[in-house]
Structure formats: C-alpha cells, structure tokens
C-alpha cells in the first residue's frame, strides 16, 4: 500500500510511523500518510524560516505571478485532486462552477478562485496622517512563518484559504491537514510546491499532537486555525505562551430565521442547501431553523420533498449529490443527537436512522417539535440533520438566535429586504445572509464572533490579517 509523503523544503519526507486514510463511503483503506516526528516539525519550521526572508524580498509582482501560477497548477490537477477529495472526504465529485451542486470538483474550482483573488489583490502603502510637520506611512509586513491547522470538511479549500493569502503577503507556511483527510492535501502541496521556491510551503501530518508541536514552537509567528472550539482554546493557550497572534475559525451553530412574509416555495432550495451543503459538515451551515408559525407546515413540507429526492451514495458514482458523513466520530455524534431528540419527544419528519454500512451513511433528517435547550438545537450537529423550530414572535426568534455562545453565520428569509435587514442587524454573528445562507465570497471578509472565534479571512481584510502594520513616521 502506498504511503504518501510530506513536503519539507521542497523534498518528499516520510516517517517511520504512518497511519491509514479511510474511505468513508466504503470503509476501505485508501493509502497511508506519515506521522511526523517532533524533529520533522522543527525541520519544517526551520525550512520555512530559512525561505521566508528571500520570499518576502522578491518583488511583489513576482510573488503575484507565482501565486497565479499556483492557480494554474490547481486547475491542471483538479481532476486528480477532486478524486482524492471524494475518496477521502466523501463529498461526491459533482459539477464544476458556482451554479453546480457543490461537490469535490466544486471544491477544486473554489481552490482555484480563492488563489486567483488574493493573487490579484494589493496592499498599498497607506498615509495615515500628513500635515506640514509630519507624514505617517503604514506599510504591511509579513509576520514570518505561519502555522496552519486545517479540518476535514473542506480539506483542500480551507488549506488554500490559509496558504494563499499567507504566501501572497510574503510569509512562508507549515500546514498540518486533518488526520481524517491528509492525503489530498499532501498531494495538493506537493504539486503547488513545484512552482514555488523551496521551503515556502511545507507540510507535516498526523494526529492533534503533531499540530500541538507545530503551534507551540517558538519559531512560529502567527497561527491560522480552522476547527473545533475546544481545540481552538488549546491552540490559543499555546499561542499566548509565545505571544503569537491567531486567526480562529471555529464551529458555528447558525440560526436561520424565516419571517412571516417569506415565500416557502421560493426559498426552499436555498434553505435546503444552506443547511445540507457537504452533508451539513460545513462551519457556516444553517444548523437551527426558526420558522414563523404561519409558514411552518409549508416550509417543513417543501424541505422534506427536496430532502427525499436527493440521491446519496458513493461519491465516485455518477449522479450522487450527497455522500457519507466523513468519519465515525462525527457519525456517532449525529446518531446520538438524533436519538436524544427522539427521547425528548421530537417528530422525525424524514430520515432519522442510519442506512447501514459499509460507510458512514446517514439519511437527510428533518426534526420538528424541539425547543431551545434541546441538545440537537444547542449543540453543533455538523451533519445531515436540521431541527426546525416554530416561533410566533420575531423578537423571540432573534433572542433564540443570539442565546448560544456561537456567532459564525445566520440568515433571515423574507420578501421584504428592508425588514430582513433590520432583523439581520440584531443578530450576533460575523455574517448574516438575507435570502441565502453560507454564500461566502473570496472578496468578502468571513469570520466568527463569540465562541465561533476571531479574525477574518478573505478579501483585503483577510490579506491584512496575515500581515502586521509597520508605521514609518517622518518629521518634515
Ligand atoms: P478539530 O478541532 O478536531 O481538528 C482540527 C485540526 O486541529 C486537525 O488538523 C487536528 O489534528 C488539529 N488538532 C487537534 N488537536 C490539536 C492541538 N492540541 N493543537 C494543534 N492542532 C490540533 O476539528 P474538526 O473536527 O477537524 O473540524 C470540525 C469543526 O471545525 C467543526 O466544529 C466546524 O464547525 C469547525 N469548522 C470551522 C470553520 C470556520 O471557518 N469557522 C470551517 C470548517 C470547520
């Protein structure tokens, strides 16, 4: 069985120990990946550190051109990498482009776009103040070496969100992919490294412990983390010890609120994908749906019709739209939350029981009859289950949306954009979408508040987040 390798200083690097990559649709072992040693983590950081001054000193236009070249490499290798995403992560291959069902090919298309956009952005010198006596210029300098820790739900896309702005701004990177979806990412970095100077992007792999070595190392200048809240807290502690800044993209429990004047038929498809994108395994999926009592039955019915018509199966097979849950830990969590809802007397509108192996398949599940405080409402399910909660007053729905220690996204659905905007501004979340959910864009800053983290990615703000300001202040 093939063992795929890390890239450190432009070279393939293995390890004495390795682990299996499992296909969540079949349970088969796909290949093996190295468990990096602590010495290899140090080696990767040293390589990144050695490469950083030369990388930052290159003319901006050169870094821009090389970043654009990465987009070409991604495009050329998209069919190969998309197969890894499907086999390792589970999402079906699907189509390409913004109008397609978002599967693995869509993820690769996203990687290309989220490379081209930061590549095309500039951070010009800003004049913060000027009068007859002085001129204060603000320059944006790279931090140095960035540690990036990625999750398993959109493994390649999130790695790209971490790598590309970092290198565009003159940093170098050591990335650790999730132990559930390692190989696709190792292959992505191997391929993009071929067009970059040695040491600019490096990988290490293995369980959380390998990540903890990486983020605790004093050779790291900034940490970008996407993953769960509990891990985020451990990383924030490690960062505090070294006085290192972090970007924390943590879990969410996004509320979607359907106002009384919404049109259930018109919004149903948008709501459905807002909740079930990537089998619900998306940080900014709608995870609690609050529907006004006047529209409740129609909305539930419209969602049920869509959920029951969506083909689910091995994502390598043609025509599949939904795949398995990515791993056993997440599968067990979804099962436990749905069982807790049943015990609390909830109504299972559709789904609600695992379809049986092989693979971690769980049907798309709609649950009604729950109230705030139920586990399925209050805990992030991160899977193909949506609790739909009836409300009668908009004030109550807003209070429900705001009552949890999570604030990544939210959405408001209405036929009246101004009314929706007024409700949106009362919701505590980094992004509140209107008549759409989870519709991120490479030019628009994205990040959470409260327990969902801090800092933003994407656009100019995302690029600034991987730089530190330096003021040059001149007396006239
Ligand atoms: P996780 O926290 O279990 O793991 C994330 C990564 O952290 C993995 O690579 C893991 O190996 C590593 N890790 C574990 N312990 C570590 C430690 N002590 N030090 C350093 N690294 C360590 O999260 P997950 O299960 O992979 O991802 C699911 C979660 O991520 C969900 O809560 C989801 O909402 C969240 N998420 C958030 C966003 C966002 O942008 N806000 C995006 C995707 C996923």
């Amino acid at each position: 069985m093939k063992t795929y390798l890390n890239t450190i200083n432009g070279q393939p690097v293995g390890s004495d120990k390795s682990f299996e990559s499992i296909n969540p649709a079949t349970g088969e072992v796909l290949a093996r990946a190295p468990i990096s040693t602590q010495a290899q983590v140090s080696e990767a950081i040293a390589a990144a550190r050695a490469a950083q001054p030369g990388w930052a000193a290159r003319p901006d236009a050169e870094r821009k051109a090389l970043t654009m070249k990465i987009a070409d490499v991604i495009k050329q290798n998209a069919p190969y990498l998309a197969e890894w995403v499907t086999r390792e992560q589970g999402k079906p291959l699907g189509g390409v482009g913004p109008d397609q069902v978002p599967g693995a090919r869509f993820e690769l298309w996203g990687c290309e776009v989220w490379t081209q956009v930061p590549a095309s952005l500039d951070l010009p010198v800003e004049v913060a103040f000027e009068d007859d006596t002085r001129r204060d210029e603000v320059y944006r300098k790279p931090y140095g070496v960035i540690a990036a820790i990625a999750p398993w739900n959109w493994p390649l896309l999130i790695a790209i969100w971490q790598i590309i702005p970092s290198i565009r701004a003159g940093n170098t990177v050591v990335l650790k992919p999730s132990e559930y979806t390692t190989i696709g990412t190792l292959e992505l970095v191997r391929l993009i490294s071929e067009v970059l100077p040695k040491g600019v992007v490096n990988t290490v792999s293995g369980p959380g412990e390998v990540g903890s070595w990486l983020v605790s190392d004093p050779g790291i200048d900034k940490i970008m983390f996407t993953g769960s809240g509990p891990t985020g807290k451990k990383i924030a502690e490690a960062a505090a010890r070294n006085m290192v800044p972090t970007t924390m993209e943590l879990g969410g429990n996004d509320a979607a609120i359907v106002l009384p004047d919404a049109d259930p038929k018109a919004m149903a498809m948008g709501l459905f994908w807002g909740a079930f994108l990537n089998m619900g395994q998306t940080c900014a999926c709608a995870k609690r749906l609050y529907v006004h009592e006047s529209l409740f039955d129609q909305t539930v019915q419209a969602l049920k019709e869509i959920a029951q018509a969506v083909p689910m199966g091995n994502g390598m097979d043609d025509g599949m739209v939904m795949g398995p849950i990515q791993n056993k830990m997440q599968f067990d969590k979804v099962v436990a939350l749905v069982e807790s809802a049943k015990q609390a007397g909830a109504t299972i509108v559709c789904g609600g029981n695992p379809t049986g192996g092989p693979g971690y398949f769980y049907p798309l599940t709609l649950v009604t009859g729950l109230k705030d405080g139920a586990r399925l409402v209050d805990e992030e399910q991160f899977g193909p289950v949506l609790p739909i909660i009836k409300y009668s007053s908009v004030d109550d729905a807003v209070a429900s949306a705001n009552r949890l220690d999570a604030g990544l996204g939210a959405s408001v659905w209405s036929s009246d954009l101004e009314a929706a905007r007024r409700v949106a501004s009362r919701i505590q979340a980094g992004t509140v979408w209107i008549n759409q959910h989870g519709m991120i864009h490479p030019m628009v800053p994205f990040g959470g508040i409260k327990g969902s983290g801090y800092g933003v990615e994407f656009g100019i703000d995302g690029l600034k987040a991987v730089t530190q300001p330096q003021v040059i202040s001149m007396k006239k």
Side-chain angles (χ1 to χ4, degrees):
M1 172 147 309
K2 182 163 178 180
T3 301
Y4 286 79
L5 302 176
N6 278 298
T7 300
I8 297 179
N9 206 25
Q11 300 301 314
V13 176
S15 170
D16 290 346
K17 290 192 190 156
S18 63
F19 65 102
E20 292 174 341
S21 172
I22 309 279
N23 183 335
T26 61
E28 81 178 296
V29 179
L30 292 163
R32 300 186 73 85
I35 300 180
S36 301
T37 62
Q38 191 161 8
Q40 287 174 330
V41 172
S42 303
E43 205 183 301
I45 296 168
R49 184 146 293 289
Q52 198 270 330
W55 177 244
R58 282 186 181 235
D60 194 59
E62 240 179 73
R63 270 205 315 274
K64 200 174 209 179
L66 280 173
T67 312
M68 275 299 184
K69 225 175 189 174
I70 293 176
D72 297 339
V73 170
I74 292 170
K75 188 174 189 155
Q76 282 153 16
N77 292 283
Y80 169 70
L81 292 169
E83 286 201 3
W84 268 114
V85 170
T86 295
R87 289 193 292 161
E88 237 185 358
Q89 198 282 329
K91 63 173 72 76
L93 284 171
V96 189
D99 52 343
Q100 295 291 321
V101 169
R105 292 184 181 122
F106 175 91
E107 180 162 352
L108 265 299
W109 171 82
C111 290
E112 195 189 322
V113 174
W114 258 274
T115 301
Q116 286 163 340
V117 170
S120 68
L121 295 177
D122 296 306
L123 289 176
V125 179
E126 289 168 24
V127 179
F129 183 77
E130 183 161 29
D131 67 6
D132 295 344
T133 64
R134 61 187 287 157
R135 177 181 163 92
D136 299 86
E137 296 171 345
V138 184
Y139 290 77
R140 289 275 158 187
K141 299 281 180 139
Y143 276 105
V145 178
I146 306 252
I149 307 275
W152 46 259
N153 55 343
W154 292 89
L156 270 50
L157 187 57
I158 291 175
I160 285 292
W161 292 349
Q162 297 172 328
I163 293 170
I164 299 298
S166 299
I167 64 171
R168 170 73 189 91
N171 303 281
T172 54
V173 177
V174 181
L175 172 91
K176 193 198 87 67
S178 167
E179 54 273 43
Y180 293 114
T181 50
T182 299
I183 295 175
T185 314
L186 297 193
E187 287 296 271
L188 169 74
V189 171
R190 176 180 68 77
L191 290 161
I192 67 178
S193 294
E194 286 172 10
V195 296
L196 289 172
K198 283 182 193 165
V200 171
V201 183
N202 309 273
T203 56
V204 292
S205 55
E209 186 184 29
V210 177
S212 73
W213 295 331
L214 176 60
V215 297
S216 310
D217 194 291
I220 295 299
D221 301 303
K222 157 124 201 188
I223 300 167
M224 299 188 74
F225 174 67
T226 299
S228 65
T231 306
K233 285 182 184 166
K234 285 186 207 159
I235 292 176
E237 281 172 21
R241 279 195 286 278
N242 292 333
M243 200 54 87
V244 165
T246 57
T247 297
M248 287 281 165
E249 300 282 9
L250 308 178
N253 199 342
D254 292 14
I257 300 178
V258 176
L259 297 183
D261 67 349
D263 175 350
K265 277 227 155 59
M267 71 183 176
M269 198 53 93
L271 260 181
F272 173 81
W273 281 109
F276 289 102
L277 175 69
N278 197 30
M279 287 288 281
Q281 301 167 119
T282 300
C283 48
C285 264
K287 291 172 181 152
R288 310 173 273 154
L289 175 57
Y290 294 90
V291 182
H292 189 260
E293 57 192 0
S294 60
L295 301 176
F296 192 81
D297 292 343
Q298 289 158 272
T299 305
V300 172
Q301 182 58 28
L303 289 174
K304 181 182 174 186
E305 281 167 21
I306 300 171
Q308 289 187 323
V310 171
M312 180 184 291
N314 187 330
M316 295 298 285
D317 297 342
D318 279 348
M320 287 307 145
V321 175
M322 293 288 174
I325 292 177
Q326 203 281 323
N327 59 66
K328 173 117 180 22
M329 175 272 297
Q330 196 60 44
F331 178 86
D332 289 345
K333 189 170 172 186
V334 167
V335 169
L337 287 175
V338 175
E339 290 311 309
S340 78
K342 289 178 189 168
Q343 273 162 25
T347 302
I348 307 297
V349 177
C350 58
N353 284 306
T355 43
Y360 306 125
F361 288 98
Y362 197 94
L364 304 185
T365 300
L366 300 173
V367 179
T368 58
L370 290 175
K371 290 197 162 56
D372 287 350
R375 279 188 63 197
L376 180 58
V377 179
D378 283 17
E379 293 177 31
E380 184 190 28
Q381 67 276 49
F382 213 63
V385 182
L386 181 66
I388 312 176
I389 302 136
K390 196 184 280 187
Y391 76 85
S392 46
S393 121
V394 173
D395 286 347
D396 288 348
V398 170
S400 290
N402 290 341
R403 60 180 274 281
L404 299 177
D405 184 26
L408 187 57
S411 59
V412 180
W413 301 74
S414 169
S415 304
D416 178 346
L417 281 184
E418 273 316 308
R421 199 202 308 264
R422 282 194 296 277
V423 174
S425 71
R426 296 167 59 197
I427 297 177
Q428 296 160 0
T431 305
V432 186
W433 288 280
I434 294 176
N435 293 335
Q436 53 184 2
H437 197 115
M439 298 298 280
I440 55 173
H441 188 281
M443 280 303 291
V444 181
F446 174 68
I449 60 170
K450 295 164 73 179
S452 294
Y454 44 80
V456 292
E457 295 181 284
F458 313 163
I460 288 288
D461 292 300
L463 203 51
K464 283 185 175 172
V466 283
T467 65
Q468 45 197 343
Q470 182 193 37
V471 174
I472 296 193
S473 178
M474 285 166 276
K475 184 176 187 316
K476 283 189 175 170

